[in-house]
Amino acid sequence: MILFNCDYSEGAHENILRRLAETNMEQTPGYEDDPYCNEARALISKLCQRDDADIHFLIGGTQTNFTIISAALRPHQCVLCADTAHINVHESGAIEACGHKVSALPTPDGKLTAQQIDEAWHAHWDDDTHEHMAQPKMVYISHPTELGTVYSRRELEDLSAICHKRNLYLYMDGARLGYGLQSEENDLDLPTIASLCDAFYIGGTKNGALFGEALVLLNDDFKEDFRYILKQKGGRLAKGRLLGIQFIELLKDGLYFELAAHADRLAVMLRDACLKLGLTTPFYTGTNQQFITIPDSILEALKNQYGFSWLRREDSEHTTVRFCTSWATREEDIRQLINDLTQLCQDSPQS
Amino acid sequence: MILFNCDYSEGAHENILRRLAETNMEQTPGYEDDPYCNEARALISKLCQRDDADIHFLIGGTQTNFTIISAALRPHQCVLCADTAHINVHESGAIEACGHKVSALPTPDGKLTAQQIDEAWHAHWDDDTHEHMAQPKMVYISHPTELGTVYSRRELEDLSAICHKRNLYLYMDGARLGYGLQSEENDLDLPTIASLCDAFYIGGTKNGALFGEALVLLNDDFKEDFRYILKQKGGRLAKGRLLGIQFIELLKDGLYFELAAHADRLAVMLRDACLKLGLTTPFYTGTNQQFITIPDSILEALKNQYGFSWLRREDSEHTTVRFCTSWATREEDIRQLINDLTQLCQDSPQS
Amino acid sequence: MILFNCDYSEGAHENILRRLAETNMEQTPGYEDDPYCNEARALISKLCQRDDADIHFLIGGTQTNFTIISAALRPHQCVLCADTAHINVHESGAIEACGHKVSALPTPDGKLTAQQIDEAWHAHWDDDTHEHMAQPKMVYISHPTELGTVYSRRELEDLSAICHKRNLYLYMDGARLGYGLQSEENDLDLPTIASLCDAFYIGGTKNGALFGEALVLLNDDFKEDFRYILKQKGGRLAKGRLLGIQFIELLKDGLYFELAAHADRLAVMLRDACLKLGLTTPFYTGTNQQFITIPDSILEALKNQYGFSWLRREDSEHTTVRFCTSWATREEDIRQLINDLTQLCQDSPQS
Amino acid sequence: MILFNCDYSEGAHENILRRLAETNMEQTPGYEDDPYCNEARALISKLCQRDDADIHFLIGGTQTNFTIISAALRPHQCVLCADTAHINVHESGAIEACGHKVSALPTPDGKLTAQQIDEAWHAHWDDDTHEHMAQPKMVYISHPTELGTVYSRRELEDLSAICHKRNLYLYMDGARLGYGLQSEENDLDLPTIASLCDAFYIGGTKNGALFGEALVLLNDDFKEDFRYILKQKGGRLAKGRLLGIQFIELLKDGLYFELAAHADRLAVMLRDACLKLGLTTPFYTGTNQQFITIPDSILEALKNQYGFSWLRREDSEHTTVRFCTSWATREEDIRQLINDLTQLCQDSPQS
């Protein structure tokens, strides 16, 4: 059984394990107040070209999302997002549990447009009864999205511009940020993201770390007392240096980007093979999540040997499923999957 | 200026004011623990044919909704409703502020169907990752809906049946319950509603009271410690008897239903006149809210003399607006509105 | 049975009932956007000598408290109060349900001192781990307190000064404000209170209104979007003018203060009679709540004819109870109580 | 500089690091659904002699506390605890942020007594206005307490009995559970704790793990849907097996208890040396936290070479500070500290 279900099936890159072992018996202050976290902060600031960034290390994505949203919004304010957004569908109501409405907008591909944001803003403020509605104050985007798609520089600039114009915060969930930045269609980089967003995070869990997300606060509004809220939400790791050390290893020499590039390359290899076999994808992307529409008969045969995840039925005979590669995926495993898919497609009368 | 904006522009029926004055200097215990509230409870129990009903008096609809939802749900559970539901669009995120997701389902007319509920249930429970989603546990319906439409007995039975089957609570927001029960299309009554819902409320604010909603808890799950939560949410009125007295006056001799019948009759008069003039309604109903699609030129002329509320633009020349009648609406005012509309339609080249 | 349990046993002053009846069929916009509310706001602004005050009308005290606290604090911030404070003991955890810790400080008489506030501030900020604690941001005082005691001008100035110095908001719960301002020991007035507090409310429920509290926001921090939060918390009354009309009647010609003076006078009459009988009070005050320590044998006899409320046992034979007078208390009832107490004390071997 | 500030200055026991490395490239399902977590669950069930225990692995103590409390309580319910309890003073208002009041009871030594619980229960239920108060429903104890003290078997039995009698849940925060179970005064064991508590956790972070707490749910009330709430609160680690592996290593051969015994032995060595020097401790205990009252002049000299944490000033010349040992403390460091303390005490005219 080879798992392509997700991008967190394995542990961490060996450099991280080695460095954790080397520093294991050092005594450091707790709660991210140690020299390793500070070194990681300096690295991230430099990569983002933002000396004024306030950087916090959290353990996972859901925690990161509800912590920043809780810190940023007043009780009556809501967050706009795509209907497929992680905060809307896969966090067990975590944002609402912090008191805030998640206002989901429909999208075909997981990406919000500047126009949608503007329309949502107008729908609120043009209504006489807006004081009886939750007030939009933050826009949440994921990059790449939950469907593997990415924002272009132009699209992100447009989103940022409308957010500024409408006095909305722009927050980017970067759980898979590396995979986006290394994808073939990418024209973004960290300094650009840092200049266009009010906050974003660099996801470690899904790209080489044991766990950990580096939250980068750019807007001063978020900085005051953030650590109180971090503590309140369970986000201050006692042995905080575990997070610092991991991000140092990932970022000091570009390992983070190498790992992502590896995963993207294998994902594209799979995608192209599928397309060549006549299979289709609803979301063409060069990132590590490949959504492929496959005849059910083939999936039936495939599922005994490979793990993948289910997205939706397309019709009575086809289903779209997701294959994830990661920093840890072996090229031989992808080749074997391609071979088996090829064989199954050839055996199948019509796909 | 004659206001048809809403059904709470005036005060209360004179019987209520008189009775409040008569009992004004009596000393009674606070917080709905007085003989008047108990008498009102007995009246409601009898009207619902449910001796076991637990009845609480609250001040307004938003408060009633978030109090019962807060009392009924565990932290990870959400409430299903129509996208037009009051809790989804007009309570400033009150349900989310109590920690719960509002999961809105699209409807053309404000009414949920049993099939939608079942599909939503399946969408949750059939998904391997359902523990990462908010769990549907309650269905919220408004009767009449925010669009003036009503559920038939058959529709409510179907909703109730699927809720029982799927272990969901069924809660009815009855802010305008009287107007529904007196409408021409109605085939429901209080005992039926009480037997099919786990909780519902009889709205007073919009039908003859100064304020007040009578929340009827049928399901034992909701009853324990409900008054703690009522207090916590600001819903225990110090001089609780004000609520008891109002519901006695409304319910002891059928005044509540007479007032609603009056409003419905005037609403239907307006509706039929509009249809005769060639105007249309997207939601044909016999309740007190009439949504009429009207040429903008006519609305322009109308708005200096009449208050009404805006629903949506239909195309570049037409807008749908709402006219509300109420227990307090004067027949002469409706007749004047019909006359003016008739005149304007005749003067208009094409409506 | 004559009730002295509380100050909300009866309805409202007759002027209010009359004016409600006179205006009953007028059509006004909902949710405190009507001319009556605006007139009441103007009256209050003038009485407070603060044109910039933002004034909202709510239904009850618990609701008023959790709404302002929810609007004022960020998630990690807490409110300091006396251990006897209403928000600490009698609101069913309403403040915590809005997410905020209530940090109660011990007091002998329900009154906080400036020194206590400063010490609490230091206890937080001098601690290295303060980011792991709830952060004090607001001071809640009740005036009069729940024990009937009042703050002097000097004490309130000191509290205000320390709050300014320590960047804390000062909020006064004025559920019984009138009774405080009319008490014999009072040296405060509305303009002074408005200049020293960031927010306070003028309580109507306990002093002549059917219900209603006028919340006066002085600090600009609280004003933005307050009405969203008011709606979210259930605090916008549909027929908002009911609140406006009541406060107009109470405040336009000083009725509010006359009613309070009446209650205070009767309370002092009772207090002085008790002291003369050799009974004692733990909280000497001229406001409408009189706490008297009475032998249990006498209380046993008394309780069949009079309602009063229980505070605490003092020793095996004595209990302190509370007698409340109000705007509605009849002098003859107080005289009868005094006579009966006198008789019982004389019959008792030793009190 | 040698740190005795806390028990989480270092990383993890070498067995854990080794095992993490060995299993690093295995593919496992996420979110604690893997074979390692299941193996760890089986170990814990066996150690507790409770096959029916429902066991969850969380990352830190604050998170564990607010997750179980949020899952267990209804909105109006509160948790009783000692005034020194971690949830009361060191979680930035996390419990309140989940909506629940923390009702702190005063204690001299961090330990609640059964009598206190019963009195608190009576104070609530004997009051006529209890529906206006937060309702006690859970008792939170820490074992050892934040002051290093431990409950005896008899004390825990008494607490459990009163909780059963009063329908309260008993929850034990076991952040330092190992240090308690290995202390010289201990007469408790895991099966006893599991039989007396409704839930408790076995703390890993402070005793040999990189991070991790094993929450053991005994009462069926807590089990349903617990994983939804775990996810909502950020407590499901994507690579959940990291937690499973750590607890396997700690528990399979008694390592957890050996590490704790080591720390306790060094702590007692320090304690006894201090007492011999004439220093005092306000909380005599055999666990890994030693609170010692020391002349300020000595502390001044000590603080340049040793880390320790501050508890409180005792008088103008003495302060009580805390020295923590841990699984990682070296005996030579404790000996050096004792030597330096001895030297300083001898040099000091009077301590």
Side-chain angles (χ1 to χ4, degrees), chain D residues 7-63:
Chain D
D7 28 24
Y8 43 84
S9 295
E10 295 87 357
H13 189 270
E14 58 185 344
N15 290 7
I16 283 176
L17 292 189
R18 185 170 54 238
R19 193 66 188 134
L20 288 177
E22 285 169 2
T23 59
N24 189 53
M25 293 308 287
E26 291 180 19
Q27 289 194 312
T28 52
Y31 298 108
E32 295 101 43
D33 271 339
D34 62 278
Y36 294 108
C37 283
N38 289 336
E39 187 182 335
R41 286 185 183 102
L43 275 171
I44 293 170
S45 279
K46 199 172 162 197
L47 286 168
C48 294
Q49 298 174 14
R50 283 289 291 261
D51 286 349
D52 64 332
D54 199 7
I55 297 161
H56 301 274
F57 301 105
L58 292 95
I59 296 140
T62 295
Q63 185 182 72

Side-chain angles (χ1 to χ4, degrees), chain D residues 1 14 23 28-29 75 109-110 129 159 167 189 206 209 223 239 242 252-253 268 280 286 316-317 333 335:
Chain D
M1 192 79 173
E14 58 185 344
T23 59
T28 52
D109 59 357
T129 63
L159 280 173
N167 198 22
D189 53 27
K206 291 176 170 142
K223 296 175 185 174
K239 300 178 186 180
L242 302 179
K252 70 177 177 179
D253 297 318
V268 165
T280 57
S316 64
E317 297 179 351
D333 289 341
R335 290 200 181 278

Side-chain angles (χ1 to χ4, degrees), chain B residues 294-302 317-318 344 348-351:
Chain B
I294 299 182
D296 294 338
S297 56
I298 292 181
L299 286 177
E300 199 57 32
L302 213 58
E317 297 178 351
H318 295 79
L344 286 162
S348 174
Q350 91 295 359
S351 57

Side-chain angles (χ1 to χ4, degrees), chain B residues 3 8-12 17 24 26-28 31 62 66 90 92 94 97 205 209-211 228 231-232 239 241, chain C residues 3 8-12 17 24 26-28 31 62 66 90 92 94 97 205 209-211 228 231-232 239 241:
Chain B
L3 302 185
Y8 42 84
S9 295
E10 295 87 357
L17 293 189
N24 189 53
E26 291 181 17
Q27 290 194 312
T28 53
Y31 300 108
T62 295
F66 67 67
H90 275 118
S92 300
T205 299
L210 287 172
F211 56 87
Y228 283 87
K231 174 63 183 171
Q232 182 185 82
K239 300 179 185 178
R241 65 175 180 181
Chain C
L3 302 185
Y8 42 84
S9 294
E10 295 88 356
L17 292 189
N24 188 53
E26 291 181 20
Q27 289 194 313
T28 52
Y31 300 109
T62 295
F66 68 66
H90 274 119
S92 300
T205 299
L210 286 172
F211 57 86
Y228 284 88
K231 174 64 184 170
Q232 182 184 83
K239 301 178 185 180
R241 65 175 179 181

Side-chain angles (χ1 to χ4, degrees), chain C residues 249-285:
Chain C
E249 290 307 308
L250 290 172
L251 295 173
K252 69 178 178 180
D253 297 318
L255 178 61
Y256 185 75
F257 301 101
E258 285 169 34
L259 297 178
H262 166 80
D264 285 352
R265 184 175 61 84
L266 298 185
V268 166
M269 193 184 300
L270 174 62
R271 178 198 69 193
D272 291 347
C274 288
L275 296 179
K276 203 165 142 199
L277 289 169
L279 302 173
T280 58
T281 173
F283 319 113
Y284 188 87
T285 172

Side-chain angles (χ1 to χ4, degrees), chain C residues 4-283:
Chain C
F4 295 106
N5 303 55
C6 67
D7 29 23
Y8 42 84
S9 294
E10 295 88 356
H13 188 270
E14 57 185 344
N15 290 7
I16 284 177
L17 292 189
R18 184 169 54 239
R19 192 67 188 132
L20 288 177
E22 285 169 3
T23 60
N24 188 53
M25 293 307 288
E26 291 181 20
Q27 289 194 313
T28 52
Y31 300 109
E32 295 101 45
D33 271 339
D34 62 278
Y36 295 108
C37 283
N38 289 336
E39 186 181 336
R41 286 186 182 101
L43 274 171
I44 293 171
S45 279
K46 199 172 163 197
L47 286 168
C48 294
Q49 298 175 13
R50 283 288 291 263
D51 286 349
D52 64 333
D54 200 7
I55 297 161
H56 301 273
F57 300 105
L58 292 95
I59 297 140
T62 295
Q63 185 182 73
T64 305
N65 290 335
F66 68 66
T67 302
I68 177 67
I69 290 171
S70 184
L73 300 188
R74 293 186 63 208
H76 60 295
Q77 294 174 332
C78 66
V79 52
L80 300 174
C81 65
D83 50 4
T84 50
H86 204 260
I87 57 168
N88 190 44
V89 291
H90 274 119
E91 302 190 353
S92 300
I95 308 306
E96 292 86 356
C98 292
H100 302 288
K101 190 176 191 72
V102 174
S103 288
L105 305 174
T107 67
D109 58 358
K111 289 167 61 179
L112 290 175
T113 66
Q115 188 185 333
Q116 277 184 301
I117 301 304
D118 203 32
E119 285 168 4
W121 186 91
H122 275 291
H124 180 81
W125 288 101
D126 294 355
D127 193 309
D128 285 348
T129 62
H130 60 261
E131 289 170 336
H132 289 208
M133 300 172 173
Q135 182 190 82
K137 183 64 186 171
M138 178 181 265
V139 173
Y140 164 102
I141 56 172
S142 344
H143 181 80
T145 69
E146 295 75 7
L147 300 177
T149 51
V150 296
Y151 288 92
S152 71
R153 185 184 181 116
R154 176 61 182 276
E155 289 167 338
L156 191 63
E157 285 169 347
D158 289 349
L159 280 172
S160 183
I162 198 67
C163 285
H164 267 88
K165 183 171 176 188
R166 299 311 189 190
N167 199 22
L168 301 165
Y169 297 126
L170 181 59
Y171 165 60
M172 177 188 283
D173 178 332
R176 296 188 173 92
L177 187 56
Y179 299 127
L181 293 178
Q182 296 305 111
S183 73
E184 58 194 17
E185 67 266 49
N186 177 62
D187 62 356
L188 281 167
D189 54 26
L190 285 174
T192 304
I193 290 171
S195 72
L196 296 175
C197 294
D198 295 288
F200 73 101
Y201 78 85
I202 302 172
T205 299
K206 292 176 168 142
N207 192 17
L210 286 172
F211 57 86
E213 325 296 330
L215 177 62
V216 183
L217 305 181
L218 288 323
N219 189 318
D220 287 344
D221 290 0
F222 303 157
K223 296 175 185 173
E224 188 176 358
D225 292 345
F226 191 81
R227 298 212 295 190
Y228 284 88
I229 296 175
L230 204 49
K231 174 64 184 170
Q232 182 184 83
K233 303 302 184 197
R236 298 196 79 187
L237 187 63
K239 301 178 185 180
R241 65 175 179 181
L242 301 180
L243 291 159
I245 287 167
Q246 293 187 83
F247 277 97
I248 292 170
E249 290 307 308
L250 290 172
L251 295 173
K252 69 178 178 180
D253 297 318
L255 178 61
Y256 185 75
F257 301 101
E258 285 169 34
L259 297 178
H262 166 80
D264 285 352
R265 184 175 61 84
L266 298 185
V268 166
M269 193 184 300
L270 174 62
R271 178 198 69 193
D272 291 347
C274 288
L275 296 179
K276 203 165 142 199
L277 289 169
L279 302 173
T280 58
T281 173
F283 319 113

Side-chain angles (χ1 to χ4, degrees), chain B residues 3-10 176 309 322 324-326, chain C residues 28 30:
Chain B
L3 302 185
F4 295 106
N5 303 56
C6 68
D7 28 23
Y8 42 84
S9 295
E10 295 87 357
R176 296 186 173 95
S309 65
R322 184 186 73 166
C324 264
T325 62
S326 81
Chain C
T28 52

